[in-house]
């Protein structure tokens, strides 16, 4: 209700009126008091009559009776279930208006640019209309219902003339005719693909055509057949194995083969103790040359180190003497492609080779005989025997298909697969008394596995990490040296937590793109590694300072080994096909 209420308050000083009111109310008259005592309570006679207006500050609101039209309609409703009258639809809203709300703010919105009505549209339909519009310039009018379409002019927007010409076909529908035209080419129908002469067929004159003569055709057929046969052989069967002995007699006068550890070389090769103090190698004292292509890996004979095994990209494996005349003792031939990795067993009587022909082979070191072959039709990148004495019949291989495969040489069967890596497996290194092994991969991670359990219990991967294609365990078994592809050698703890040792980072060489093998001196004083420039780099273990750099090879120096019984003898190999001994 909006009404102005006014009340007038008046004060009078007439005593008669007071007496009349008292008598009329029936109240007993009281003796008058001292007028001076009550003078301050009475208003002055000269004070004028005063009026106070009471204002109602409530905003004007539409009263229900004033706008009663039957039913109140909530303006927020999206649909109504009855037919409201005009008065109901346009009745004023109840309550005060927001004076700060602009017209744009008051408009309903469900997206940035305004309000979009929800509508279901097939993705393919939308895409076909969009492409049709961008190609031909017309598209179906989305505001016209399909049952309301009477003519093309009404149902299309854009280039309506073009729509009439194409009969409203979309790009997908009109494309079928073009493909049919494409089929009608010289040389036959698309179904007869063998007779298709190519896009230049119409320019070839049948008389002067560039066809081979009968002799040339015969020669081409022979070459093609030979290639196909060669390809089938490589896929189906491994290369034939043979061996060449390069020394006159396999056994000496006492019946000992070259596997026998020599005792006349000045040091005790049978001892398990490392030298007390190691020194920097300074000069080259011998070169083993015999490989015709780059050397990929070198391995010293277990425990004694009196023999050196080398694998090469010329598909051959060679065995060399480290002492005495330093001759090539035997060559093992049996791979059709480059040999990637080699690994001795604990005694050195057998070794495994892994090559790009997708075969792993087990060889007898003494006789040169190939004992057995293994393949899972994937390229093996690394191979390792289990170093435990009671598990010498088991070995693991890191494959190009991201798996680590475990074979038993007694049955020639796969007994376990470790399938967790996201890239080709590059290295396998046994740690923690051979109970565990560490693998690195092209996925830039390092994973630690319990033996025979195909789930990694430790996974190390940082955003800053690079691929580490070469890993070496230190002589004391406490550290892993990893050749990182950002031109540095990282050191991880090899016990329990496998933490990165941030204080031990060896820099100063360039190895990006090459799996240059790292090694330690036997007394843990130095770290050695080759690099992409063919140099041999030697760092101090404690200070990580680069002590010495030697130009060792003309091409990449792919591996460096420090002899386990010598104070300063280092063996290097490179892609120039040479193996060098430094002292």
């Amino acid at each position: 209700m909006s009404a102005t209420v006014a009340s007038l308050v008046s004060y009078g000083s007439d005593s008669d009126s007071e007496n009349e009111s008292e008598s009329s109310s029936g109240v007993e008259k009281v003796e008058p008091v001292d007028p001076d005592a009550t003078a301050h309570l009475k208003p002055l006679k000269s004070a004028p009559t005063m009026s106070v207006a009471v204002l109602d500050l409530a905003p004007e609101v539409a009263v229900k009776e004033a706008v009663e039209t039957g039913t109140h309609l909530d303006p927020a409703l999206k649909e109504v279930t009855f037919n409201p009258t005009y008065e109901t639809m346009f009745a004023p809203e109840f309550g005060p208006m927001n004076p700060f709300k602009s017209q744009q703010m008051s408009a309903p919105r469900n997206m940035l640019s305004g309000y979009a009505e929800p509508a279901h549209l097939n993705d393919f339909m939308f895409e076909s209309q969009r492409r049709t519009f961008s190609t031909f310039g017309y598209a179906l009018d989305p505001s016209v219902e399909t049952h309301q379409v009477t003519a093309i002019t009404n149902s299309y927007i854009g280039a309506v003339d073009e729509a009439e010409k194409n009969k409203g076909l979309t790009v997908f529908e009109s494309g079928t005719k073009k493909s049919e035209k494409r089929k009608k080419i010289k040389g036959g129908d698309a179904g007869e693909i063998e007779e298709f002469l190519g896009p230049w067929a119409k320019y070839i004159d049948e008389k002067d055509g560039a066809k081979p003569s009968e002799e040339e055709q015969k020669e081409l057929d022979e070459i093609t057949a030979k290639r196909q046969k060669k390809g089938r052989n490589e896929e189906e069967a491994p290369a034939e194995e043979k061996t060449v002995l390069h020394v006159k007699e396999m056994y000496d006068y006492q019946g000992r083969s070259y596997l026998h550890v020599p005792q006349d070389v000045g040091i005790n090769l049978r001892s398990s103790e490392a030298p007390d103090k190691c020194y920097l190698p300074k000069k080259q004292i011998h070169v083993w040359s015999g490989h015709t292509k780059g050397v990929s890996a070198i391995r010293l004979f277990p425990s004694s180190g009196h023999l050196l095994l080398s694998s090469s990209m010329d598909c051959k494996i060679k065995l060399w003497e480290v002492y005495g005349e330093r001759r090539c003792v035997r060559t093992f031939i049996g791979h059709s492609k480059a040999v990637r990795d080699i690994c001795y067993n604990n005694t050195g009587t057998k070794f495994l080779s892994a090559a790009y022909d997708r075969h792993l082979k087990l060889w007898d070191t003494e006789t040169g005989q190939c004992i057995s072959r293994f393949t899972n039709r994937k390229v093996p990148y690394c191979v390792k025997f289990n170093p435990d004495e009671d598990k010498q019949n088991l070995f693991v291989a890191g494959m190009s298909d991201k798996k680590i495969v475990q074979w038993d040489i007694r049955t020639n069967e796969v007994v376990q697969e470790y399938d967790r890596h996201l890239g080709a497996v590059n290295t396998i290194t046994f740690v923690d008394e051979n109970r565990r092994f560490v693998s690195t991969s092209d996925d830039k991670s390092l994973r630690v596995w319990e033996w025979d359990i195909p789930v990694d219990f430790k996974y190390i991967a940082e955003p800053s990490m690079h691929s580490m294609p070469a890993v070496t365990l230190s002589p004391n078994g406490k550290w892993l040296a990893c050749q990182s592809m950002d031109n540095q050698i990282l050191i991880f703890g090899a016990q329990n937590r496998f933490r990165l040792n941030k204080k031990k980072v060896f820099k100063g060489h360039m190895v990006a793109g090459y799996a240059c093998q790292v090694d330690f001196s036997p007394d843990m004083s130095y770290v050695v590694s080759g690099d992409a420039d063919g140099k041999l780099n030697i760092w101090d273990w404690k200070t990580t300072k680069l002590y010495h750099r030697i130009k060792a090879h003309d091409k990449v120096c792919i591996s460096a080994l420090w002899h386990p019984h010598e104070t300063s003898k280092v063996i290097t190999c490179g892609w120039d096909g040479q193996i060098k001994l430094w002292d």
Side-chain angles (χ1 to χ4, degrees):
M1 287 172 62
S2 59
T4 306
V5 181
S7 63
L8 297 175
V9 181
S10 61
Y11 297 93
S13 59
D14 192 8
S15 60
D16 296 334
S17 61
E18 286 179 6
N19 295 334
E20 286 173 8
S21 62
E22 285 174 3
S23 60
S24 62
S25 59
V27 179
E28 193 175 332
K29 194 173 182 180
V30 184
E31 287 294 325
V33 291
D34 187 8
D36 295 331
T38 58
H40 65 284
L41 296 174
K42 294 181 180 180
L44 297 173
K45 289 182 181 180
S46 61
T49 302
M50 185 170 56
S51 65
V52 179
V54 180
L55 300 177
D56 185 4
L57 298 179
E60 288 189 11
V61 180
V63 184
K64 184 179 179 184
E65 289 78 10
V67 292
E68 185 63 55
T69 55
T71 308
H72 171 63
L73 195 64
D74 186 0
L77 282 175
K78 291 286 186 285
E79 60 179 55
V80 290
T81 56
F82 63 97
N83 291 331
T85 61
Y86 176 85
E87 290 77 12
T88 305
M89 293 284 287
F90 292 93
E93 292 184 26
F94 289 173
M97 296 289 289
N98 182 359
F100 304 106
K101 194 171 185 180
S102 65
Q103 185 180 358
Q104 188 177 2
M105 288 168 65
S106 60
R109 298 198 304 173
N110 61 359
M111 56 186 293
L112 191 65
S113 58
Y115 182 80
E117 288 285 345
H120 172 71
L121 188 62
N122 192 327
D123 288 339
F124 175 75
M125 281 292 295
F126 178 82
E127 189 63 19
S128 64
Q129 292 302 320
R130 187 189 67 79
R131 290 192 182 184
T132 305
F133 190 81
S134 61
T135 307
F136 300 130
Y138 64 84
L140 278 170
D141 189 352
S143 61
V144 178
E145 297 290 337
T146 51
H147 63 272
Q148 295 176 351
V149 174
T150 54
I152 286 179
T153 51
N154 297 338
S155 58
Y156 284 87
I157 56 171
V160 181
D161 297 338
E162 193 72 20
E164 288 180 356
K165 183 180 173 184
N166 290 346
K167 297 180 181 179
L169 293 176
T170 64
V171 282
F172 297 105
E173 293 166 341
S174 61
T176 54
K177 292 184 179 179
K178 287 187 178 179
S179 61
E180 285 172 8
K181 285 180 184 177
R182 258 187 227 121
K183 288 179 185 176
K184 296 174 183 177
I185 51 175
K186 188 176 179 182
D189 199 8
E192 302 167 0
I193 198 71
E194 292 178 2
E195 298 176 18
F196 178 56
L197 302 177
W200 300 98
K202 59 184 177 181
Y203 299 105
I204 298 173
D205 189 2
E206 291 183 4
K207 294 179 182 178
D208 305 327
K211 294 181 178 179
S213 63
E214 288 183 10
E215 292 179 2
E216 289 173 338
Q217 186 63 47
K218 190 177 180 182
E219 193 177 339
L220 283 169
D221 292 340
E222 285 178 8
I223 291 167
T224 308
K226 200 178 286 184
R227 279 181 182 169
Q228 288 175 350
K229 188 178 178 183
K230 187 181 177 185
R232 282 199 301 271
N233 288 346
E234 284 179 359
E235 289 293 325
E236 293 168 9
E240 185 185 350
E241 299 89 8
K242 58 182 179 179
T243 181
V244 180
L245 183 67
H246 298 286
V247 292
K248 287 183 180 179
E249 293 183 2
M250 190 170 167
Y251 302 99
D252 63 2
Y253 69 99
Q254 288 185 330
R256 300 175 302 188
S257 72
Y258 49 75
L259 296 188
H260 177 72
V261 180
Q263 296 167 353
D264 56 347
V265 294
I267 57 170
N268 184 10
L269 296 177
R270 296 178 185 274
S271 172
S272 59
E273 294 180 5
D276 295 332
K277 181 78 175 93
C278 290
Y279 305 94
L280 293 175
K282 293 181 180 175
K283 61 182 180 182
Q284 174 188 310
I285 59 172
H286 187 72
V287 178
W288 289 283
S289 55
H291 286 295
T292 55
K293 290 185 181 178
V295 181
S296 55
I298 50 175
R299 301 284 183 267
L300 282 166
F301 197 82
S303 67
S304 65
H306 72 287
L307 292 172
L308 179 71
L309 194 67
S310 65
S311 64
S312 170
M313 297 173 195
D314 61 6
C315 315
K316 295 176 184 176
I317 302 160
K318 289 182 180 286
L319 191 65
W320 314 81
E321 291 176 334
V322 177
Y323 296 99
E325 297 178 30
R326 300 194 173 104
R327 301 168 294 178
C328 178
V329 180
R330 191 182 280 280
T331 301
F332 306 83
I333 304 165
H335 287 289
S336 58
K337 290 185 180 177
V339 184
R340 166 81 187 218
D341 196 20
I342 44 178
C343 179
Y344 276 114
N345 65 354
N346 282 5
T347 56
T349 55
K350 298 172 186 174
F351 70 88
L352 282 161
S353 62
Y356 285 100
D357 61 2
R358 305 183 183 193
H359 282 88
L360 295 125
K361 297 194 176 184
L362 181 67
W363 303 82
D364 189 301
T365 316
E366 188 173 340
T367 63
Q369 180 191 357
C370 180
I371 300 167
S372 51
R373 305 161 196 87
F374 312 89
T375 183
N376 69 344
R377 299 189 179 182
K378 297 292 184 290
V379 178
Y381 282 174
C382 57
V383 63
K384 277 282 192 301
F385 267 108
N386 188 312
D388 275 349
E389 290 295 337
D390 60 337
K391 295 187 182 72
Q392 284 290 285
N393 59 301
L394 299 170
F395 73 90
V396 283
M399 313 302 286
S400 59
D401 65 342
K402 313 170 192 176
K403 293 180 183 177
I404 300 170
V405 184
Q406 183 179 317
W407 266 283
D408 191 330
I409 62 175
R410 297 173 300 187
T411 60
N412 279 32
E413 290 180 355
V414 175
V415 292
Q416 187 63 272
E417 277 189 355
Y418 305 84
D419 185 12
R420 302 279 284 182
H421 273 294
L422 305 174
V425 182
N426 291 322
T427 69
I428 296 170
T429 312
F430 282 87
V431 296
D432 193 18
E433 297 178 357
N434 310 322
R435 290 193 292 263
R436 300 167 177 170
F437 64 90
V438 176
S439 63
T440 62
S441 163
D442 284 345
D443 62 9
K444 303 179 184 178
S445 73
L446 183 146
R447 293 176 192 257
V448 190
W449 314 75
E450 295 276 359
W451 176 256
D452 222 12
I453 297 174
V455 180
D456 50 323
F457 80 91
K458 187 81 174 178
Y459 170 64
I460 300 167
E462 296 289 336
S464 60
M465 276 174 66
H466 288 67
S467 180
M468 296 180 291
V471 177
T472 305
L473 184 67
S474 65
N476 60 12
K478 291 182 179 178
W479 306 103
L480 283 169
C482 305
Q483 187 78 263
S484 180
M485 286 293 94
D486 56 349
N487 300 322
Q488 55 186 6
I489 298 169
L490 304 177
I491 306 295
F492 288 87
Q495 296 169 331
N496 300 326
R497 305 197 67 176
F498 296 90
R499 272 192 175 177
L500 175 66
N501 190 338
K502 294 182 180 177
K503 293 182 180 178
K504 292 251 188 277
V505 179
F506 300 90
K507 299 178 182 177
H509 63 319
M510 216 284 287
V511 287
Y514 300 96
C516 297
Q517 195 66 42
V518 189
D519 201 15
F520 294 86
S521 65
D523 67 342
M524 287 286 294
S525 298
Y526 304 107
V527 175
V528 291
S529 170
D531 67 9
D533 300 323
K535 293 186 176 70
L536 171 64
N537 300 273
I538 305 170
W539 291 267
D540 180 56
W541 168 254
K542 286 186 178 178
T543 63
T544 70
K545 182 182 176 185
L546 181 59
Y547 266 2
H548 201 37
R549 182 181 281 167
I550 306 167
K551 177 65 176 172
H553 295 272
D554 295 331
K555 293 183 181 178
V556 182
C557 179
I558 202 70
S559 184
L561 289 178
W562 199 301
H563 198 286
H565 297 289
E566 298 280 358
T567 55
S568 59
K569 280 192 171 64
V570 176
I571 303 166
T572 62
C573 69
W575 283 8
D576 55 1
Q578 293 185 329
I579 305 165
K580 297 184 179 181
L581 178 62
W582 304 83
D583 195 3

